[in-house]
């Protein structure tokens, strides 16, 4: 509505929206709910062909060389259409591979992720929600040229359907980033169903040899940090898409549903509720875009502020959307419930509102100004 | 946060900061309640002599001709020292209206005294029977030969009892349909015979606003601004800048500074319940900052704010009130105390700040009116 998007960015968003609509939109997602793969490889490949997974990768490495705003636009459409393909993990895994140490293995893998040939997910979350809590949960030991992993990684989206994982582990006090294929010996995947009809996995590593190193302990810390913060931004972008769609559905319904001989959207109680939801969409989206505009690597403080804000506002909005739909909103048949459930998962993923408020508080400094200086 | 000063803006900020620090009287910094105009005019006149009282006025009218980013810098630097709010109804409201709708004579007569601080203006829109439904106003102005005969009552005028003149909306056509088509914009000298101003004590115990009784007040025709019966548009044609500044995150941030000082002093800064509330508030203000800078970008590109100003007002006022909620919360058992509490270098009257902030969601179009505007203009909901 009030965005300052460039014509190129508007075009990117429009073409993403068109691509997902052509694949069947929300109806497609409804059919894929609670199915084992949970998404469609052929759609994933179409996204790859449109350049989605190389959005943050420089052109000389086969990507589009764009920024977080463009990634956010793609993810807003992903959220709006409830597309189940792992867009954010793929695009951010590609970013990790293009920013790690250059090796033949990494560039080979990068090419396959960008082309959609391989599905690579991110395994950077510990048992707790904060990245910093992961220290104890997955240890990496360097032994005769190999990296041996022991421990767990939680919250890995679409783990069973992935070909491999970008894994963050700890070598003593330093993080290390490596790639592990799903077929690695000693790796087990426990799948958990989530309320939105999808799943995530918990990975258990028992003396697993990593396939190859992406970033060594000396260099990995900023990359791991960036991956986590980018995933927070990406999750918030998808939440903005979910919010937009839920509000659109609701406003449409308020105009056509009649009670007491009038469209229910003429009642001030519902108008004001809908406006409060509109304000939530506008403010969350604006915060998202302003943060994306700060550069490709977001500040951790701002990433947590955004995740906390988006999680809270999206849950409030989607609950309100159910309320305004009345009984039909309480059915499985109506799409509005799908948005609430998706918001629930995205809000919880990588740390919820409370967790990120806490992380924001820990990371940010707020010093009151001195009032009466002498000069 | 979402904005970095350009090199020239950074130089400008330095210049403004050091001048404010050197010249803003210490007794006017960090005041809980704005002092009456008489105490403030020293600072008004200092700014005027420096040429900074009207940053957004063009140079041809004696203003500073500042760019939008310079205007924001001035507002931020004033906020940094918790400078008192000046009686700027003339500078912020009437001045731009006169530049747009005034005749050459009207501009010549009224603009320079506003700049110098020789004339204090009050805004006279609301009436006892016309608040949110302003277009129903009934203060009557009959045009008889070369003058208007004005009768009626205006209310909630900030500092009208300290003001010299009032710009006001009056009914010049009682039959007009719609009602706003019969309203004119009139300037009234408050020393005219038949004008009576009565201060009203507000909920915070301050007599900041007043009632203006108009009984057979004779106003010459030269005081009509814009066309007869065309006053509604004149009054509502606010500048985008003005809408932007009223929704600045600065207002809530000033309260956050006070909350933090208080928490540091009374030990609440280590309380996780308090820290969670403060983090939630600060995050909301960061979202407001994002909106503010996006809106500033729109204005700088010459694009209209449109209904975004309603969104911004809703957010700005709810954040301000959330901040004053936390201010009395952090004071714990002192959260209902009357009078100032000394906190470090600050004197805070927290209950007064809390009570004062009640008006934010009422004046300038209540939050409910803003929601009505957004429901119609953005969501397209039926009436």
């Amino acid at each position: 509505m009030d965005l300052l998007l460039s014509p190129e960015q508007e075009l990117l968003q429009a073409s993403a929206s068109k691509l997902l609509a052509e694949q069947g939109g929300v109806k497609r997602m409804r059919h894929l709910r609670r199915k084992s793969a949970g998404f469609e490889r052929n759609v994933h490949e179409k996204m790859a062909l449109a350049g989605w997974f190389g959005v943050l990768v420089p052109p000389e490495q086969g990507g589009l060389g764009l920024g977080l705003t463009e990634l956010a636009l793609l993810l807003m459409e992903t959220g709006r259409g409830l597309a189940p393909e792992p867009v954010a993990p793929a695009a951010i895994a590609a970013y990790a591979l293009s920013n790690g140490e250059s090796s033949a293995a990494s560039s080979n893998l990068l090419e396959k992720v960008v082309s959609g040939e391989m599905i690579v997910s991110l395994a950077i979350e510990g048992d707790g929600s904060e990245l910093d809590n992961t220290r104890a949960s997955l240890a990496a030991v360097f032994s005769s040229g190999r990296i041996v992993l022991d421990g767990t990684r939680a919250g890995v989206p679409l783990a069973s359907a992935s070909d491999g994982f970008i894994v963050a582990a700890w070598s003593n006090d330093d993080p290390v980033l490596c790639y592990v294929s799903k077929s690695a010996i000693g790796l087990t995947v426990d799948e958990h169903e989530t309320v939105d009809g999808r799943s995530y996995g918990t990975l258990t590593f028992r003396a697993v040899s990593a396939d190859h190193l992406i970033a060594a302990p000396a260099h990995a810390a900023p990359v791991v940090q960036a991956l986590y913060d980018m995933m927070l931004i990406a999750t918030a972008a998808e939440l903005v898409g979910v919010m937009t769609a839920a509000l659109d559905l609701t406003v449409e319904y308020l105009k056509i549903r009649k009670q007491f001989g009038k469209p229910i959207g003429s009642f001030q109680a519902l108008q004001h509720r809908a406006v409060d939801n509109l304000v939530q969409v506008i403010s969350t989206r604006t915060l998202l875009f302003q943060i994306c505009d700060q550069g490709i690597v977001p500040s951790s403080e701002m990433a947590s502020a955004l995740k906390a804000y988006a999680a809270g506002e999206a849950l409030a909005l989607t609950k309100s959307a159910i309320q305004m739909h009345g009984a039909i909103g309480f059915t499985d048949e109506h799409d509005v419930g799908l948005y609430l459930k998706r918001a629930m998962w995205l809000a919880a993923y990588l740390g919820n509102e409370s967790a990120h408020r806490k992380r924001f508080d820990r990371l940010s400094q707020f010093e009151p100004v001195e009032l009466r200086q002498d000069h | 946060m979402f904005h970095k000063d350009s090199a020239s803006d950074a130089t400008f900020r330095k210049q403004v900061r050091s001048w404010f620090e050197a010249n803003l009287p210490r007794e006017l910094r960090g005041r809980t309640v704005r002092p009456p105009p008489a105490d403030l005019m020293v600072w008004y006149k200092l700014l005027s002599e420096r040429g900074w009282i009207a940053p957004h006025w063009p140079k041809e009218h004696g203003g500073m001709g500042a760019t939008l980013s310079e205007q924001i810098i001035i507002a931020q630097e004033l906020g940094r020292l918790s400078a008192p709010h000046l009686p700027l109804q003339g500078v912020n409201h009437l001045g731009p209206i006169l530049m747009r709708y005034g005749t050459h004579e009207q501009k010549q007569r009224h603009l320079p005294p506003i700049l110098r601080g020789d004339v204090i203006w009050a805004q006279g829109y609301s009436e006892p029977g016309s608040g949110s439904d302003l277009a129903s106003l009934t203060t009557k102005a009959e045009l008889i030969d070369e003058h208007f005969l004005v009768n009626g009552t205006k209310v909630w005028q900030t500092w009208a009892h300290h003001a010299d003149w009032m710009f006001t909306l009056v009914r010049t056509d009682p039959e007009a349909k719609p009602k706003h088509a019969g309203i004119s914009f009139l300037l009234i000298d408050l020393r005219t015979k038949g004008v009576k101003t009565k201060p009203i004590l507000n909920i915070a115990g301050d007599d900041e606003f007043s009632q203006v009784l108009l009984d057979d007040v004779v106003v010459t025709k030269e005081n009509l601004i814009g066309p007869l019966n065309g006053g509604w548009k004149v009054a509502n044609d606010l500048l985008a800048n003005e809408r932007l500044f009223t929704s600045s995150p600065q207002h809530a941030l000033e309260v956050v500074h006070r909350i933090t000082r208080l928490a540091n002093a009374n030990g609440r800064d280590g309380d996780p319940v308090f820290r969670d509330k403060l983090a939630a508030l600060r995050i909301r203000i960061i979202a407001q900052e994002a909106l503010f800078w996006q809106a500033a970008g729109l204005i700088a590109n010459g694009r209209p704010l449109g209904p975004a100003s309603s969104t911004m007002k809703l957010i700005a006022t709810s954040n301000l009130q959330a901040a004053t909620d936390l201010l009395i919360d952090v004071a714990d058992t002192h959260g209902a105390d009357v009078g100032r509490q000394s906190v470090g270098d600050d004197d805070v009257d927290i209950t007064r700040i809390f009570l004062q902030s009640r008006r934010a969601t009422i004046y300038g179009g209540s939050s409910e009116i803003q929601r009505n505007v957004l429901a119609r203009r953005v969501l397209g909901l039926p009436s």
Side-chain angles (χ1 to χ4, degrees):
Chain A
M1 259 161 271
D2 304 313
L3 293 180
L4 297 166
L5 291 180
S6 70
E8 292 79 10
Q9 289 169 332
E10 279 175 6
L11 196 67
L12 181 76
Q13 186 174 20
S15 67
S17 168
K18 185 161 168 270
L19 188 155
L20 291 174
E22 281 168 1
Q23 301 312 311
V26 176
K27 203 176 261 173
R28 181 174 72 94
M29 185 271 158
R30 193 174 269 285
H31 292 308
L32 290 166
R33 283 193 297 172
R34 300 187 282 271
K35 298 276 163 53
S36 61
F39 70 98
E40 295 175 302
R41 285 241 177 194
N42 68 319
V43 177
H44 190 85
E45 276 160 23
K46 289 198 171 91
M47 291 169 167
L49 209 60
W52 289 24
F53 310 134
V55 65
L56 302 177
V57 176
E60 57 275 17
Q61 289 178 283
L64 298 179
L66 298 170
L68 280 187
T69 305
E70 286 80 5
L71 176 64
L73 289 170
L74 295 173
L75 287 164
M76 280 164 59
E77 290 310 315
T78 306
R80 212 166 63 85
L82 293 173
E85 284 67 32
V87 179
I92 291 170
Y95 171 85
L97 291 164
S98 77
N99 278 272
E101 280 144 52
S102 57
S103 68
S106 274
S107 47
N108 185 31
L109 187 59
L110 173 61
E111 199 187 310
K112 287 180 171 155
V113 170
V114 170
S115 71
E117 195 184 326
M118 282 181 75
I119 308 289
V120 171
S121 199
L122 294 171
I124 56 176
E125 196 182 347
D127 291 334
S129 52
E130 286 192 49
L131 181 67
D132 306 7
N133 294 347
T134 62
R135 198 166 301 243
S137 56
L138 185 62
V141 175
F142 286 78
S143 132
S144 52
R146 295 188 312 139
I147 311 164
V148 182
L149 302 169
D150 272 286
T152 57
R153 275 287 165 260
V156 181
L158 297 163
S160 297
S162 301
D163 299 307
F165 311 98
I166 307 266
V167 178
W170 289 89
S171 163
N172 298 318
D173 282 337
D174 294 311
V176 53
L177 204 59
C178 51
Y179 176 72
V180 178
S181 57
K182 201 185 73 190
S183 56
I185 296 163
L187 176 65
T188 51
V189 177
D190 287 315
E191 205 70 20
H192 308 272
E193 201 184 324
T194 50
V195 70
D196 57 346
R198 307 186 197 193
S199 66
Y200 69 85
T202 300
L203 310 185
T204 306
F205 299 79
R206 285 194 194 85
V208 171
S209 282
D211 291 44
H212 74 269
L213 186 72
I214 297 169
H219 311 111
V223 185
V224 173
Q225 188 72 58
L227 292 190
Y228 182 72
D229 291 328
M230 285 167 130
M231 278 304 291
L232 296 180
I233 307 272
T235 309
E238 214 170 321
L239 279 167
V240 170
V242 166
M243 292 168 83
T244 309
L247 180 65
D248 287 351
L249 271 181
T250 304
V251 171
E252 199 50 45
Y253 187 70
L254 292 177
K255 289 176 186 170
I256 55 165
R257 169 73 174 167
K258 283 190 177 159
Q259 287 289 278
F260 307 103
K262 293 165 92 178
I264 60 171
S266 64
F267 301 130
Q268 203 178 34
L270 295 182
Q271 290 184 346
H272 285 194
R273 193 187 253 279
V275 165
D276 287 342
N277 295 151
L278 170 75
V279 170
Q280 291 171 322
V281 175
I282 292 174
S283 60
T284 312
R285 187 182 51 197
T286 307
L287 180 59
L288 167 71
F289 279 102
Q290 289 286 341
I291 290 176
C292 287
D293 213 31
Q294 307 285 296
I296 200 153
V297 177
S299 94
S300 297
E301 177 187 339
M302 285 295 112
S304 278
L306 174 64
K307 179 70 206 299
Y309 191 78
E313 301 295 83
L315 283 175
L317 183 145
T318 47
K319 285 184 288 184
S320 168
I322 303 280
Q323 176 68 21
M324 284 192 277
H325 276 81
I328 193 75
F330 189 60
T331 63
D332 181 67
E333 174 196 335
H334 200 284
D335 286 345
V336 70
L338 300 178
Y339 288 102
L340 168 64
K341 291 173 181 176
R342 187 61 182 154
M344 286 170 73
W345 185 76
L346 291 165
Y349 178 48
L350 296 173
N352 65 11
E353 182 183 12
S354 303
H356 282 287
R357 234 189 238 168
K358 201 167 159 191
R359 183 173 183 249
F360 167 82
D361 180 52
R362 187 166 50 74
L363 294 173
S364 72
Q365 299 294 325
F366 189 84
E367 292 298 327
V369 291
E370 296 295 316
L371 280 181
R372 298 189 179 149
Q373 289 106 335
D374 281 312
H375 281 270
Chain B
M1 188 107 33
F2 300 114
H3 174 83
K4 276 200 185 72
D5 285 345
S6 67
S8 61
D9 281 347
T11 311
F12 179 72
R13 185 185 293 278
K14 240 171 124 178
Q15 187 191 357
V16 167
R17 180 174 294 186
S18 66
W19 193 84
F20 284 175
E21 277 174 356
N23 290 281
L24 174 58
R26 297 166 115 249
E27 66 276 12
L28 292 181
R29 299 181 192 189
R31 295 278 290 258
T32 300
V33 179
R34 46 181 169 183
D39 297 355
L40 292 171
M41 292 318 282
V42 190
W43 173 230
Y44 192 118
K45 291 191 169 169
L46 274 171
L47 280 168
S48 173
E49 282 155 25
R50 184 66 185 78
W52 287 353
I53 193 69
H56 56 294
W57 286 23
K59 283 197 171 129
E60 52 168 313
H61 293 301
M64 195 178 154
T67 63
L68 182 63
S69 57
E70 287 169 343
Q71 294 172 39
I72 293 171
I73 287 170
I74 289 179
Q76 286 175 329
E77 293 302 319
L78 287 171
R80 192 178 156 270
L81 294 183
S82 289
H85 295 169
L86 293 170
L88 289 175
Q89 306 269 36
V91 169
N92 287 340
H93 299 264
L94 183 61
I97 285 173
L98 285 175
M99 289 174 213
R100 212 150 171 180
Y101 294 99
T103 61
H104 180 70
E105 290 71 28
Q106 288 169 333
K107 290 180 206 169
Q108 291 289 103
R109 162 130 198 241
H110 293 293
L111 293 180
I114 291 175
L115 282 177
R116 288 194 302 269
D118 290 345
V119 171
I120 296 178
W121 285 86
Q123 173 187 290
Y125 291 175
S126 294
E127 294 180 5
S130 303
S132 287
D133 182 13
L134 187 60
S136 70
L137 62 88
T138 55
T139 292
K140 206 163 90 180
E142 290 171 90
L143 185 58
I144 303 166
D145 301 327
E146 289 305 297
H147 65 265
F148 291 97
L149 188 65
V150 186
N151 278 287
T153 305
K154 291 287 172 182
V155 76
W156 321 132
Q157 281 66 57
T158 301
W159 279 330
H161 51 295
H162 296 291
D164 308 295
W165 279 73
M166 172 170 79
F167 55 95
T168 186
L169 290 173
V170 290
R171 178 149 306 280
T172 38
D173 180 359
E175 310 299 324
K177 284 209 171 91
K179 283 184 263 176
H180 66 247
I183 291 171
S184 300
F185 193 97
L186 204 61
L187 309 181
I188 299 177
D189 183 339
L190 293 173
R191 287 159 305 189
T192 318
K193 190 166 163 282
V195 178
K196 220 196 252 166
T197 59
K198 287 205 306 202
I200 301 168
L201 207 59
N202 69 21
I203 195 174
D206 301 316
D207 60 352
E208 271 185 349
F209 58 3
S210 33
Q211 191 167 24
V212 180
L213 308 167
L214 303 155
D215 183 15
D216 279 340
V217 177
V218 177
V219 179
T220 52
K221 210 179 155 186
E222 73 206 22
N223 289 301
L224 174 73
I225 307 296
L228 189 68
N229 295 320
W232 189 255
K233 186 176 186 318
V234 174
N236 281 289
D237 219 1
L238 289 186
L239 294 181
N241 285 18
E242 191 180 334
R243 298 190 192 270
L244 179 70
F245 281 102
T246 50
S247 296
S248 163
Q250 193 99 29
H251 311 301
L253 276 174
E254 280 181 40
V255 182
V256 172
H257 282 291
R258 294 198 135 119
I259 293 168
T260 314
R261 278 189 218 109
L262 205 55
N264 288 345
N266 74 5
R268 284 287 301 279
D269 60 338
D271 167 11
V273 175
F274 164 74
R275 294 219 65 90
D276 183 61
K277 287 183 177 177
L278 179 66
L281 173 63
R282 288 186 49 216
I283 289 171
R284 299 201 83 81
I285 298 173
I286 288 170
Q288 185 190 346
E289 283 181 59
L291 278 165
F292 178 83
W293 287 108
Q294 183 186 273
L298 282 170
I299 294 170
N301 286 319
R303 288 173 51 186
L305 268 187
S309 64
S310 291
T311 311
M312 290 180 65
K313 184 172 189 268
L314 283 173
I315 289 189
T317 55
S318 82
N319 282 349
L320 176 67
Q321 293 184 347
T324 60
D325 284 349
L326 191 56
L327 183 67
I328 58 167
D329 180 283
V330 73
D332 196 5
T333 54
H334 295 288
D337 289 4
V338 169
R340 294 175 172 200
Q341 308 180 29
S342 269
V343 180
D345 57 359
D346 197 6
D347 280 331
V348 199
D349 185 340
I350 59 166
T351 49
R352 212 165 193 172
I353 294 177
F354 171 82
L355 291 169
Q356 281 280 4
S357 75
R358 297 301 104 203
R359 68 177 161 193
T361 45
I362 300 169
Y363 72 179
S366 70
S367 296
E368 287 67 30
I369 292 294
Q370 307 297 339
R371 288 187 178 97
N372 288 349
V373 168
L374 290 167
R376 303 253 189 300
R377 287 181 60 192
V378 179
L379 298 179
L381 291 172
S383 46

